[in-house]
Amino acid sequence: MSFNLDSYKYYLNREITWLKFNDRVLNEAINEGNPLFERLKFLSITSSNLDEFFMIRVAGIKEQIEAKYEKKDPSGMTALEQFKEISKYVHFMVKKQDKCLNKYILPELKKRSVNFLNVEDLNKNQYDFLKNYFNSTIYPVITPMAIDQSRPFPLLPNKMLTQAILLNEDGKKPFFAMVQVPPVLPRFIRLPGSKSSFIALEKIIKEFINSLFIGYEVLEVSPFRITRNADLNINDDAMDLLEEIEKSLRQRRMGFPVRLEIAKTAPAKIKQMLKDSLSLENEDIYEIDSMLNLADLMKFSNQKGFEKFKYRPFIPQPSPVFFGKKDLFKIIRKKDVLLHHPYESFEPVIDFLEQAANDPDVLAIKQTLYRVSGDSPVIKNLIKAAENGKQVTVLVELKARFDEERNIHWAKKLEDAGCYVIYGLVGLKTHTKILLVVRNEEDGIKRYVHMSTGNYNDSTAKLYTDIGLFTSDDLIGQDASALFNLLTGYSKETNWNKLYVAPLTLKSSFIEMVEKERKLALEGKKGIIKCVMNSLLDKDVIKAFYKASIDGVQIDLVVRGICTIIPGIKNLSENIRVRSIVGRFLEHSRIYYFDNDGDPKIYLSSADMMPRNLVRRVETMFPIESEALKKRVVDILNLILTDNVKTKRELPNGNYRMVRSSPDKINSQELFCQMAIDSFKSMINSNSTTEKFKPQYKIKE
Amino acid sequence: MSANSKLAGIIYIASESIYLRIAQIVNGNIKYIEKIDYPIVIGKETYKKRKISFKRINKACDILNNFIKLMNEYKIENYKTVATTAIRESENSEYIVDQIKIKTGLDLNILEDSEEKNYIYLDLIKSLDAKKYGPQDKILITYIGSGSLGIALYQNGNIFFSQNIRIGTLKLTETLAPLITKTPNFFEIILEFLSSFRKSLKNILPAEEINYVIACGKEIDITRTILEIPKKNDFTQIDLDALKNLFDKIEFKNPDQIHKMFNLSDYEAINLMPLFGVYKMLFDIVDPKKFLMSEANLLDSLAYEILKPKSFKILQDKYNESIILTTKNLASRFYYDEEHALSVEKHSLKIFDSLKKLHGLGSRERLLLRVASIIHDAGKAINIKNHAESSYYIVKESEILGLSSRELNIIGNIVRYHSGNTPALNDQEFLSLPVTERVLISKLLAILRLADSFDRAHDNKVKNISVKLSKKNLIIYVESIIPTYLEKWSFEVKSEFFEEVFGIKPDFRRVIK
């Protein structure tokens, strides 16, 4: 039986599969099994996710429509069809968000005395407090903007919560004004007299808005928010990438509007005015019945206290291999070390950098940085290393979306300290996460390499699941040097020993590996592929999977987000199973397993199977070679595949369902937490047995 | 932290790439820490326009400056920057060296064809030693350069014969270029041109005893490309039949067709026919059982030279031995008086070794003296009356294995002045040499002249000499049972120059032994 693998019916639309992912996150907000504040967080995540989705994806589709781009996506949809589908889905999702907050979460919180109040609910004391708060704190930071013939519609910043106001002046035509809800102030103000009663900032502004417009009558007040195109338009021929990105960041603030969110209760007059002024269509307008900018709930649910409404805190565990050891080089020299974050702490990566920065034998440190944390210890150590006279080369990817400004700041700081900073490559985003330390040892130059599926970001390393590898393997060291030589422009081409590098060799090699499993299956052996990734979109890769499945390769995919492959099509993809995990931690690892007739080849990577990763980004895929570590990764993989609590499986129609629940509930993330705790404990215990027999030489007097 | 003396940097500007190697010694072997082959086509301009544009040189300087950054990361102080054909053959090479110095601070060493060959031979001998051929195996080594063709014979660990012919690949094309458009079969023209060399080589080579031909040099790389043979570590065996088939294929083709046929760069295409012409010529002479391509290369050899692992000294001594062997072989083709040469060599070295304090020279100069001692009378085969002048020509034209043209010139000048006149102030050619060279020549010459006087009669009368140097006196004790009037007379004449150079007059004392 032969299949036309280019047929539209074998591919899902990426935008819809992404929306379905966001829907799975939303389901976690609805899931009563999760603590209430965590549910608020999930809800908040769905909202900030949607913001980015509109700023980048929807904006892009709108541009395609504008440009009359006719080409269909692999699922056969035109840009316009996609837009309509998206709008429909998001309208549905907004209703679901409203329901989630209004019907499920807020009443539950209220039962537990956590209240989101309206002005009408307040007692005198509380009211006076707010009045005072308005006058002393809010008033100084807000500026009303009137709209009339002499004052045109103001340029409203992207994602800014704003109050639209309809005013009346005696004897004149009513006119509009705007007041931004200042993002510098907390969105939810705690009320006196109760530890757990809050009121939203926009409600306070609305209540006292009269004092901003003395002499006018305030007819209507409604909050709204617009989302703009924020996809940076970077000129690839730019001579100075830094300058070019700074320029386009200024432009981002003025990107065309793609979405209007407005309170459902807003009067038609205001709705019409905004729609006209922003030149939006009905499909672009989302009426919110709960609360605008749910993303603000993140900060709210992160506030101290309310621990009973949160997950039991989990502290990333020390790695048993590194714990208590001072010389990390010595350990890595002996064997490869794997860290499984966030179950195992990210600290050793920082410690390693710190040791490298201060070690007199270290000659050079080279690192790629994509997203770093606020007060980054990574940056601090790199600066320290430069001050200590090491050659420090840092590739700071300025094009890391929404982190551009932060990265420009770091790049300049590193440069001032004497590091050799490269601002990414023209036309390519450097997404690979790699750290190279060159050390001059007694028996010659030795290279130490750390590579990971996740960023050098100590904050997200507590929330994202990632796997990192330390190695002193000579060939990988050579490859790491060669990669940095390419990135710095020292070299132009190279032969790789063990690394697979996008956009050069990664995709073709990956497809070859899939092919190899297919050939094994054809020879009557077992073909087995297991992959964990964030997104699966690349058509060539999907085709390779389909072909392998046709010929009998068993393919298990765990794809968190976008996934356009369709499992379970008769004779085509019956051997393909797709799962997705949305849990307490963000699934972020990329693990690629090829059974290779019982002699598994296992790789970790910074890359997802998306064209952007494989063609427009610098990514690496690296092998796990030590038998012990291979076993560990296989264990990790198998546990992920047996999860039946946070896993949903994809149906042939593209929808996701619970996996059939067995009596044993397996929540892989929780189990990984427990395993990390146990293995650290057992290390401590095995050490303390020797402690017990420690002879006492001196008796205290 | 201080500079890293265990590391060496090598930068090589070749025709189509600039190479960087950062090397270290691990367990006595060279290991590369950084290996960059940066593609930039330089040779094409040299070939087409005879000059390299400054635009290209600026780009090369950018690459070089990056290489310097990388070397600085390793705190490297031992490094060498070399270039070969691409720069050497360019008419503006001197300005290029100057621009590179100004823009990068690097001192570019343009290697002569013969120097390049030496480096490669050195590396080749190293890998041949590891290959363990039997003592009977005779191997023809051929270095195919852009400007010259080196032929050498290797047996039992040493090269014992070497011959240089000025028909490199580029040179051949250049010479015959006017004929490319005039003939439908340019390959045939090349073969015709080479036939005279083929005949004379056939006369000097023991062709029937040679089973292996090993080719080396950068210019042969395209062979592997065309035959799609992967690069091996030391030697790549080439299927002789496949290669010979290609000879037929390129008949009646012009360079442009070849360029398309094999998907080669311009430079490669233009060099393919002369290269294959040389192969064909060699196979016509030798008819080898096996044909190997050696991966011996300049970079490895330079790294070896800079880092000097323990094995380097051994290899160097061995190679010096090959230099002596080939010199002797060369001299024998001029029917030299072997015993006399041996005697002069022996006495020269005795004086040299005894007077280190006086001359302050090192082992390389000692080798030059040795070579000069062996070859000094070779000119007699041409002309007895003015034999020193003839010896000078032989040295200069023969291009002795392992010696640079500078060194050949030194040896040439030594043999030129060894018998009659010493260099005089009206000798323009001699005066045009740098002062340090002149002093070096004079020192070695003074020693050789003394040593020559002990065997004035070419009868090996003097068995041994010993040298005693005190503050005021230099006495040479000459052991001989036969009277040495002639030798003493000759010594008196020749020691004048010695005194001029070293400021001390040697005394001749016969010891009857």
Side-chain angles (χ1 to χ4, degrees):
Chain A
M1 192 166 189
S2 84
F3 290 88
N4 171 15
L5 293 182
D6 284 314
S7 169
Y8 294 140
K9 61 185 175 195
Y10 301 138
Y11 301 89
L12 298 172
N13 172 266
R14 76 170 274 179
E15 318 299 347
I16 303 301
T17 72
W18 183 86
L19 286 168
K20 281 187 177 160
F21 155 68
N22 205 40
D23 207 358
R24 293 196 290 280
V25 180
L26 186 50
N27 285 338
E28 287 303 307
I30 295 169
N31 185 340
E32 287 177 6
N34 293 324
L36 279 164
F37 271 41
E38 304 297 342
R39 290 169 67 185
L40 284 178
K41 272 192 203 172
F42 280 117
L43 185 59
S44 137
I45 290 167
T46 61
S47 167
S48 49
N49 276 352
L50 276 174
D51 286 351
E52 284 188 16
F53 182 72
F54 272 89
M55 286 189 280
I56 306 297
R57 300 302 311 172
V58 177
I61 286 172
K62 275 176 164 272
E63 273 177 329
Q64 283 182 14
I65 296 170
E66 189 74 18
K68 303 217 172 0
Y69 179 81
E70 301 279 332
K71 218 178 138 194
K72 291 181 176 181
D73 84 321
S75 75
M77 289 171 87
T78 63
L80 189 64
E81 284 165 349
Q82 292 183 61
F83 173 73
K84 298 217 178 238
E85 273 305 304
I86 291 167
S87 172
K88 211 167 99 189
Y89 203 130
V90 178
H91 276 97
F92 154 78
M93 202 178 281
V94 163
K95 284 203 181 78
K96 194 164 163 183
Q97 282 176 323
D98 288 342
K99 197 170 169 191
C100 170
L101 189 65
N102 294 342
K103 273 226 164 136
Y104 304 134
I105 301 180
L106 291 183
E108 287 294 322
L109 283 172
K110 200 174 175 184
K111 270 190 222 159
R112 292 164 179 78
S113 313
V114 179
N115 298 304
F116 288 83
L117 300 178
N118 292 315
V119 177
E120 305 86 76
D121 307 326
L122 307 181
N123 60 33
K124 170 121 191 353
N125 190 21
Q126 288 169 327
Y127 190 84
D128 290 346
F129 165 81
L130 280 191
K131 194 171 183 181
N132 187 32
Y133 183 79
F134 179 82
N135 287 327
S136 64
T137 309
I138 302 176
Y139 188 78
V141 292
I142 51 176
T143 316
M145 298 168 286
I147 306 164
D148 54 29
Q149 271 89 4
S150 60
R151 284 166 293 206
F153 193 81
L155 185 77
L156 296 168
N158 187 18
K159 299 196 290 178
M160 178 75 76
L161 187 59
T162 309
Q163 295 281 26
I165 301 142
L166 187 61
L167 293 170
N168 194 22
E169 195 180 357
D170 278 345
K172 287 185 185 163
K173 225 173 102 184
F175 67 100
F176 293 102
M178 312 259 174
V179 173
Q180 293 176 1
V181 178
V184 290
L185 297 179
R187 175 77 187 278
F188 303 100
I189 314 292
R190 193 196 295 245
L191 290 161
S194 153
K195 276 193 179 152
S196 51
S197 288
F198 301 89
I199 186 163
L201 186 58
E202 67 272 23
K203 290 184 178 165
I204 310 173
I205 294 174
K206 183 178 178 180
E207 178 64 21
F208 301 107
I209 205 143
N210 275 319
S211 59
L212 291 169
F213 302 100
I214 292 161
Y216 301 91
E217 182 192 355
V218 177
L219 299 175
E220 302 283 354
V221 182
S222 280
F224 72 96
R225 182 173 178 264
I226 61 177
T227 315
R228 295 179 178 276
N229 172 23
D231 201 8
L232 292 190
N233 201 356
I234 295 161
N235 184 0
D236 266 0
D237 304 327
M239 288 299 289
D240 187 338
L241 201 55
L242 179 65
E243 209 174 273
E244 179 69 19
I245 288 176
E246 282 179 327
K247 199 174 88 195
S248 51
L249 276 174
R250 287 193 292 276
Q251 283 169 351
R252 177 187 282 171
R253 291 174 201 131
M254 298 176 277
F256 62 84
V258 291
R259 174 177 65 162
L260 169 67
E261 292 164 287
I262 187 161
K264 197 176 180 185
T265 53
K269 249 189 179 173
I270 288 184
K271 282 179 191 163
Q272 195 60 43
M273 180 273 295
L274 286 171
K275 188 184 158 190
D276 294 347
S277 309
L278 297 167
S279 2
L280 290 171
E281 304 295 326
N282 283 336
E283 283 110 327
D284 302 319
I285 300 169
Y286 297 86
E287 297 184 351
I288 312 289
D289 196 21
S290 57
M291 207 183 274
L292 276 87
N293 200 14
L294 293 168
D296 285 338
L297 287 170
M298 181 57 85
K299 222 177 189 172
F300 175 83
S301 37
N302 273 334
Q303 68 180 305
K304 278 192 185 144
F306 305 101
E307 298 308 320
K308 58 183 166 181
F309 304 133
K310 298 178 186 172
Y311 291 127
R312 238 177 28 176
F314 172 75
I315 299 158
Q317 297 297 294
S319 155
V321 187
F322 287 132
F323 184 76
K325 304 280 185 354
K326 276 219 171 92
D327 188 354
L328 272 60
F329 291 123
K330 204 172 143 193
I331 299 168
I332 301 163
R333 219 193 145 114
K334 262 188 241 153
K335 60 174 181 183
D336 290 0
V337 183
L338 192 122
L339 294 179
H340 191 196
H341 309 298
Y343 315 110
E344 285 180 305
S345 163
F346 187 69
E347 270 312 299
V349 179
I350 306 293
D351 294 344
F352 176 71
L353 254 181
E354 191 180 344
Q355 196 191 338
N358 296 297
D359 183 315
D361 293 333
V362 166
L363 293 172
I365 301 174
K366 303 187 182 194
Q367 191 172 18
T368 57
L369 293 179
Y370 192 72
R371 295 186 199 279
V372 285
S373 65
D375 186 21
S376 170
V378 172
I379 305 269
K380 254 186 243 162
N381 281 311
L382 288 174
I383 288 172
K384 181 82 190 150
E387 286 168 357
N388 285 344
K390 317 280 177 218
Q391 297 285 329
V392 181
T393 304
V394 190
L395 191 143
V396 181
E397 183 45 81
L398 294 188
K399 290 165 295 202
R401 192 168 276 155
F402 302 117
D403 272 342
E404 296 95 340
E405 266 169 293
R406 190 204 295 248
N407 284 0
I408 288 171
H409 167 76
W410 289 128
K412 287 180 174 166
K413 211 165 166 182
L414 285 165
E415 213 160 47
D416 289 344
C419 301
Y420 176 39
V421 179
I422 309 137
Y423 302 129
L425 304 181
V426 171
L428 287 172
K429 271 191 206 182
T430 308
H431 192 246
T432 174
K433 299 101 179 45
I434 184 162
L435 163 61
L436 166 69
V437 173
V438 182
R439 202 160 177 255
N440 190 12
E441 300 186 349
E442 235 164 72
D443 49 350
I445 296 289
K446 186 91 190 159
R447 293 188 177 92
Y448 296 85
V449 181
H450 174 263
M451 290 171 290
S452 177
T453 64
N455 288 305
Y456 289 105
N457 184 324
D458 49 304
S459 303
T460 52
K462 290 174 190 138
L463 304 168
Y464 293 8
T465 73
D466 274 305
I467 306 179
L469 175 77
F470 284 102
T471 181
S472 64
D473 181 88
D474 197 29
L475 292 176
I476 287 183
Q478 280 180 22
D479 284 350
S481 272
L483 178 64
F484 279 104
N485 286 340
L486 271 181
L487 294 174
T488 48
Y490 291 177
S491 73
K492 218 173 165 183
E493 52 193 27
T494 193
N495 294 318
W496 305 101
N497 299 306
K498 289 185 179 174
L499 292 192
Y500 300 89
V501 177
L504 305 171
T505 56
L506 205 165
K507 178 170 165 175
S508 57
S509 306
F510 186 90
I511 290 175
E512 263 170 45
M513 293 169 194
V514 177
E515 269 296 295
K516 209 174 156 201
E517 288 300 315
R518 189 177 74 86
K519 280 181 193 139
L520 284 172
L522 282 177
E523 286 166 18
K525 292 169 179 148
K526 275 183 193 162
I528 302 171
I529 297 172
K530 300 176 189 181
C531 299
V532 175
M533 61 188 115
N534 298 346
S535 312
L536 171 58
L537 178 67
D538 190 276
K539 197 171 163 183
D540 299 321
V541 172
I542 292 175
K543 272 188 191 172
F545 281 150
Y546 279 146
K547 281 187 207 155
S549 162
I550 291 171
D551 289 326
V553 179
Q554 294 298 321
I555 303 173
D556 277 292
L557 306 172
V558 185
V559 188
R560 185 196 78 218
I562 295 169
C563 179
T564 59
I565 200 170
I566 304 175
I569 299 174
K570 194 158 193 270
N571 295 327
L572 172 70
S573 57
E574 276 171 315
N575 294 322
I576 300 177
R577 288 160 295 276
V578 179
R579 297 172 171 82
S580 169
I581 295 181
V582 175
R584 165 175 189 175
F585 304 114
L586 182 81
E587 288 289 329
H588 197 255
S589 314
R590 285 92 171 186
I591 308 169
Y592 302 116
Y593 171 102
F594 300 91
D595 193 63
N596 191 32
D597 197 19
D599 176 24
K601 303 258 180 222
I602 301 170
Y603 304 91
L604 302 180
S605 180
S606 55
D608 287 315
M609 292 299 143
M610 290 172 92
R612 73 165 190 209
N613 297 96
L614 303 173
V615 179
R616 294 193 300 277
R617 284 181 172 183
V618 180
E619 305 265 14
T620 45
M621 180 166 87
F622 53 96
I624 297 295
E625 293 182 313
S626 107
E627 285 307 320
L629 295 188
K630 270 169 104 168
K631 190 181 170 301
R632 181 151 179 226
V633 176
V634 169
D635 288 346
I636 289 172
L637 200 49
N638 288 339
L639 185 52
I640 288 173
L641 281 166
T642 46
D643 183 292
N644 57 18
V645 176
K646 294 296 175 189
T647 297
K648 305 282 178 299
R649 66 191 168 89
E650 191 187 347
L651 305 177
N653 64 9
N655 288 333
Y656 284 77
R657 284 287 170 274
M658 295 287 292
V659 290
R660 204 166 296 131
S661 181
S662 69
D664 299 327
K665 292 211 161 164
I666 299 170
N667 180 336
S668 59
Q669 293 191 349
E670 292 302 332
L671 283 168
F672 284 130
C673 288
Q674 198 50 52
M675 281 157 64
I677 292 168
D678 291 347
S679 76
F680 178 61
K681 259 190 199 155
S682 77
M683 191 271 301
I684 291 291
N685 290 340
S686 69
N687 276 3
S688 58
T689 44
T690 53
E691 296 277 303
K692 277 174 196 158
F693 293 99
K694 202 173 163 188
Q696 206 162 4
Y697 292 111
K698 210 174 170 184
I699 294 160
K700 264 188 192 169
E701 290 172 29
Chain B
M1 210 171 64
S2 64
N4 202 327
S5 59
K6 285 188 251 165
L7 296 180
I10 303 108
I11 297 175
Y12 170 27
I13 304 176
S15 286
E16 305 205 319
S17 298
I18 303 182
Y19 299 90
L20 172 73
R21 295 289 181 272
I22 293 177
Q24 70 179 355
I25 300 175
V26 176
N27 303 326
N29 295 315
I30 300 281
K31 188 184 160 199
Y32 290 121
I33 301 164
E34 293 279 1
K35 245 177 148 172
I36 297 180
D37 304 354
Y38 199 106
I40 170 173
V41 183
I42 293 172
K44 196 171 162 184
E45 277 191 340
T46 309
Y47 172 71
K48 283 207 165 151
K49 297 179 191 146
R50 322 283 291 134
K51 274 185 192 168
I52 300 170
S53 65
F54 276 75
K55 200 178 139 202
R56 183 92 15 160
I57 288 306
N58 287 341
K59 206 179 160 228
C61 286
D62 290 343
I63 298 166
L64 292 174
N65 278 322
N66 279 338
F67 285 3
I68 293 169
K69 275 190 209 159
L70 196 57
M71 289 204 292
N72 285 341
E73 285 178 11
Y74 293 95
K75 304 202 192 309
I76 286 173
E77 282 193 345
N78 283 329
Y79 60 90
K80 200 163 183 174
T81 312
V82 299
T84 52
T85 338
I87 309 273
R88 184 171 62 223
E89 303 290 330
S90 176
E91 281 170 5
N92 59 348
S93 63
E94 286 172 359
Y95 303 132
I96 292 169
V97 171
D98 181 57
Q99 280 301 304
I100 288 178
K101 175 74 185 169
I102 291 168
K103 289 183 175 139
T104 68
L106 294 170
D107 292 306
L108 179 64
N109 248 303
I110 301 181
L111 299 182
E112 296 165 26
D113 222 347
S114 67
E115 285 178 281
E116 187 181 347
K117 183 181 71 185
N118 282 332
Y119 279 116
I120 290 176
Y121 276 179
L122 200 68
D123 195 30
L124 175 60
I125 288 187
K126 184 163 57 123
S127 32
L128 272 175
D129 285 353
K131 250 199 138 190
K132 301 237 184 300
Y133 282 99
Q136 297 309 315
D137 288 323
K138 272 202 185 79
I139 297 165
L140 184 137
I141 294 170
T142 176
Y143 163 80
I144 302 174
S146 63
S148 77
L149 173 69
I151 304 279
L153 291 177
Y154 172 96
Q155 185 176 23
N156 206 10
N158 279 307
I159 291 177
F160 64 96
F161 167 89
S162 118
Q163 175 74 44
N164 239 24
I165 306 168
R166 294 195 184 160
I167 47 161
T169 48
L170 199 60
K171 209 139 223 156
L172 259 174
T173 326
E174 274 170 15
T175 312
L176 302 175
L179 297 173
I180 294 183
T181 49
K182 294 200 176 120
T183 168
N185 194 355
F186 187 53
F187 190 51
E188 187 60 36
I189 299 278
I190 290 175
L191 294 177
E192 273 179 40
F193 182 82
L194 289 172
S195 73
S196 67
F197 297 101
R198 192 188 70 220
K199 281 177 186 154
S200 36
L201 276 174
K202 196 149 192 167
N203 285 335
I204 23 179
L205 291 172
E208 64 287 348
E209 298 168 30
I210 299 166
N211 291 330
Y212 305 102
V213 171
I214 297 180
C216 59
K218 191 114 195 66
E219 307 294 319
I220 64 170
D221 277 357
I222 28 170
T223 319
R224 209 192 303 97
T225 318
I226 292 179
L227 291 170
E228 294 172 358
I229 304 168
K231 204 168 179 160
K232 294 233 182 82
N233 261 342
D234 289 330
F235 297 98
T236 312
Q237 189 172 340
I238 305 293
D239 180 345
L240 268 167
D241 293 332
L243 185 58
K244 284 177 184 166
N245 269 337
L246 289 177
F247 298 162
D248 300 335
K249 271 196 185 164
I250 61 168
E251 274 192 79
F252 292 100
K253 294 280 183 318
N254 62 39
D256 199 43
Q257 289 166 313
I258 288 186
H259 159 83
K260 281 175 194 145
M261 215 162 107
F262 298 113
N263 196 17
L264 297 174
S265 74
D266 286 5
Y267 180 82
E268 288 172 330
I270 214 83
N271 280 333
L272 185 75
M273 277 198 265
L275 175 68
F276 279 15
V278 169
Y279 284 158
K280 190 161 179 352
M281 173 183 78
L282 289 173
F283 298 158
D284 286 349
I285 301 168
V286 176
D287 193 22
K289 274 192 235 147
K290 271 186 188 170
F291 176 56
L292 303 169
M293 269 175 70
S294 161
E295 304 303 335
N297 67 80
L298 192 56
L299 291 160
D300 289 355
S301 200
L302 281 164
Y304 210 63
E305 183 194 58
I306 298 174
L307 287 170
K308 294 191 178 54
K310 279 182 195 138
S311 53
F312 181 71
K313 174 91 178 57
I314 302 165
L315 183 67
Q316 185 91 57
D317 288 349
K318 212 171 142 79
Y319 195 57
N320 288 349
E321 220 34 65
S322 287
I323 292 173
I324 298 300
L325 274 177
T326 50
T327 308
K328 285 181 177 164
N329 204 301
L330 174 67
S332 72
R333 274 158 43 215
F334 292 94
Y335 309 106
Y336 80 134
D337 180 343
E338 191 178 352
E339 277 187 49
H340 173 65
L342 270 173
S343 151
V344 176
E345 183 192 353
K346 181 175 154 190
H347 300 324
S348 303
L349 295 180
K350 183 80 192 180
I351 299 169
F352 185 94
D353 294 342
S354 311
L355 297 181
K356 274 198 175 143
K357 275 186 190 159
L358 207 57
H359 60 65
L361 301 173
S363 62
R364 189 70 190 176
E365 288 77 15
R366 190 179 186 272
L367 178 75
L368 300 184
L369 179 60
R370 251 184 111 181
V371 172
S373 302
I374 295 164
I375 202 84
H376 74 282
D377 270 349
K380 279 186 176 163
I382 299 166
N383 185 344
I384 300 199
K385 200 177 124 222
N386 202 1
H387 78 276
E389 195 66 20
S390 299
S391 298
Y392 168 67
Y393 284 119
I394 291 171
V395 169
K396 286 207 66 165
E397 298 307 310
S398 297
E399 296 186 6
I400 299 165
L401 172 88
L403 302 175
S404 68
S405 63
R406 181 191 144 262
E407 291 173 326
L408 284 169
N409 199 36
I410 291 167
I411 294 166
N413 272 292
I414 297 171
V415 300
R416 187 183 209 177
Y417 295 109
H418 85 271
S419 79
N421 294 334
T422 50
L425 285 176
N426 56 3
D427 192 334
Q428 286 304 321
E429 213 176 314
F430 186 74
L431 282 178
S432 67
L433 295 170
V435 65
T436 49
E437 303 279 282
R438 276 183 284 162
V439 172
L440 172 61
I441 291 168
S442 298
K443 282 177 177 176
L444 297 176
L445 176 59
I447 294 169
L448 179 83
R449 282 171 72 94
L450 280 192
D452 194 22
S453 71
F454 299 131
D455 195 35
R456 183 64 183 82
H458 287 230
D459 54 6
N460 217 359
K461 197 183 286 171
V462 176
K463 297 296 173 212
N464 261 319
I465 60 164
S466 56
V467 181
K468 198 179 165 200
L469 177 67
S470 65
K471 264 188 188 162
K472 283 181 188 166
N473 301 313
L474 170 60
I475 303 161
I476 301 182
Y477 297 96
V478 181
E479 298 171 17
S480 174
I481 39 167
I482 309 166
T484 53
Y485 298 110
L486 182 64
E487 284 70 26
K488 184 154 201 273
W489 167 76
S490 176
F491 182 87
E492 295 301 333
V493 176
K494 298 209 167 169
S495 63
E496 272 171 37
F497 184 67
F498 189 94
E499 190 183 1
E500 231 176 88
V501 176
F502 293 108
I504 191 162
K505 191 173 165 50
D507 253 356
F508 185 104
R509 300 247 178 108
R510 183 183 159 210
V511 181
I512 302 166
K513 235 181 183 178

